[in-house]
Amino acid sequence: MMEIILLAAAFLAGAMNAVAGGGSFLTLPALIYAGVPPVAANATGTVALLPGYASGVYGYRQDLTPVGSVGLPTLSLVSLAGGLAGAGLLLITPDTVFRGIVPWLLLAATALFAFGGALAQRLRSLGLHGNGALLGTLFVVSVYGGYFNGGLGILLLAQLSLFGMTDLNAMNGLKNLFSAVLTAIAVVAYAVGGAVEWPKALLMTVAAVAGGYIGARVGRRIPKAALRAGIITVGLVMSAVFFLK
C-alpha cells in the first residue's frame, strides 16, 4: 500500500513540475506518511525529482545565455556552492526540528508559488544592481534550494527578473540549469551523509519521470489558471495537515 502511495505521489509530482512546479508538496508528505524521518524524506524526495531538472536543461539547451556579463560557468559554480551549503544545513538539522518547520516551509513555498509574480515586481523595485548582487542573491536562493526544494523555481525566476531578464525561455533554461546543478550537488551531500533511502528514491524516480512525460503532454491542454489553483490548493492542504499533526 505504501509503495502505491509513493508511486502515485511521485508520478503526480513529476507531472506538476513539468507543467507548473510544486512537486515537493506531494513527495515530502508522502514519504513522511510512509514512515521516513523528515530529513531523510526531504533528501529522498529531492533525489526522485532530480531527473526532471536535468531533462529540463536539455530541453532549453538552446536558450541558455549569460546574465549580463556573468557567464554560465560562474553562475553554475555559485549555484553549486549554495546548494552544497543548503544540503549541509539540512544534514545537521535534527529530525525533531525539521519536523517542526516542515509546515512553515510548505506554507512558504505555497506563498511563493501563489505570489511569485508580485514578488518579482517587488524585487525589481529594490533596484539591486551589479554582478556582486547577482551572484549574492543567486547563492542565497541556492542555499534555500539545497535545504528545501519547494518553491525553488519561483525564487529563481524572481531572482533572474530582478537583474533585467525578460526572455521567458532563457529564464526557464537558467532556472532548470541552476536547479539541476544545486540539486545534483545536494544529492551527493545527502548520499554521503546517509540521508537517502535509496529503494524508495529509485522507485519514485521512475514514477516521477513517467509523470513528467505525461504532464508535459497533457498539461498544455489544461488552463494555466486551473493548474495554478490546483497546486496552490494542494500546498495549502498539505500545510494544514502538518500544522494539525
Side-chain angles (χ1 to χ4, degrees):
M1 181 61 180
M2 286 301 176
E3 287 77 9
I4 294 175
I5 292 174
L6 294 178
L7 283 170
F11 180 87
L12 292 173
M16 288 167 64
N17 279 350
V19 297
S24 299
F25 296 153
L26 292 176
T27 55
L28 178 62
L31 283 160
I32 293 177
Y33 179 76
V36 180
V39 169
N42 192 49
T44 302
T46 300
V47 172
L49 297 177
L50 174 59
Y53 294 133
S55 63
V57 175
Y58 182 78
Y60 282 100
R61 64 192 182 281
Q62 296 180 335
D63 299 297
L64 293 172
T65 62
V67 181
S69 61
V70 183
L72 295 179
T74 300
L75 293 166
S76 298
L77 184 61
V78 170
S79 184
L80 184 148
L84 183 59
L89 287 174
L90 178 69
L91 291 174
I92 63 174
T93 302
D95 275 311
T96 52
V97 174
F98 192 72
R99 182 181 290 276
I101 64 176
V102 160
W104 295 103
L105 289 170
L106 287 170
L107 188 60
T110 304
L112 287 172
F113 188 87
F115 304 110
L119 173 63
Q121 291 181 0
R122 174 59 180 165
L123 289 177
R124 280 195 295 269
S125 72
L126 295 178
L128 292 178
H129 298 288
N131 292 343
L134 167 65
L135 297 175
T137 52
L138 177 59
F139 179 80
V140 171
V141 173
S142 298
V143 170
Y144 170 86
Y147 188 83
F148 184 71
N149 208 255
L152 172 62
I154 296 297
L155 274 179
L156 285 170
L157 288 175
Q159 189 264 345
L160 289 170
S161 71
L162 172 63
F163 292 92
M165 292 201 72
T166 57
D167 185 330
L168 190 56
N169 285 338
M171 292 169 69
N172 273 321
L174 289 171
K175 178 200 73 175
N176 284 317
L177 173 63
F178 299 152
S179 296
V181 168
L182 72 89
T183 301
I185 193 62
V187 164
V188 172
Y190 298 155
V192 172
V196 180
E197 295 208 5
W198 288 105
K200 292 182 174 63
L202 295 175
L203 179 71
M204 295 178 75
T205 296
V206 174
V209 169
Y213 176 77
I214 298 298
R217 293 181 64 86
V218 176
R220 296 173 182 172
R221 305 174 187 174
I222 303 174
K224 289 185 179 181
L227 280 173
R228 286 183 59 82
I231 292 171
I232 291 168
T233 300
V234 169
L236 291 174
V237 169
M238 293 301 174
S239 301
V241 167
F242 276 89
F243 273 118
L244 293 173
K245 285 187 67 173

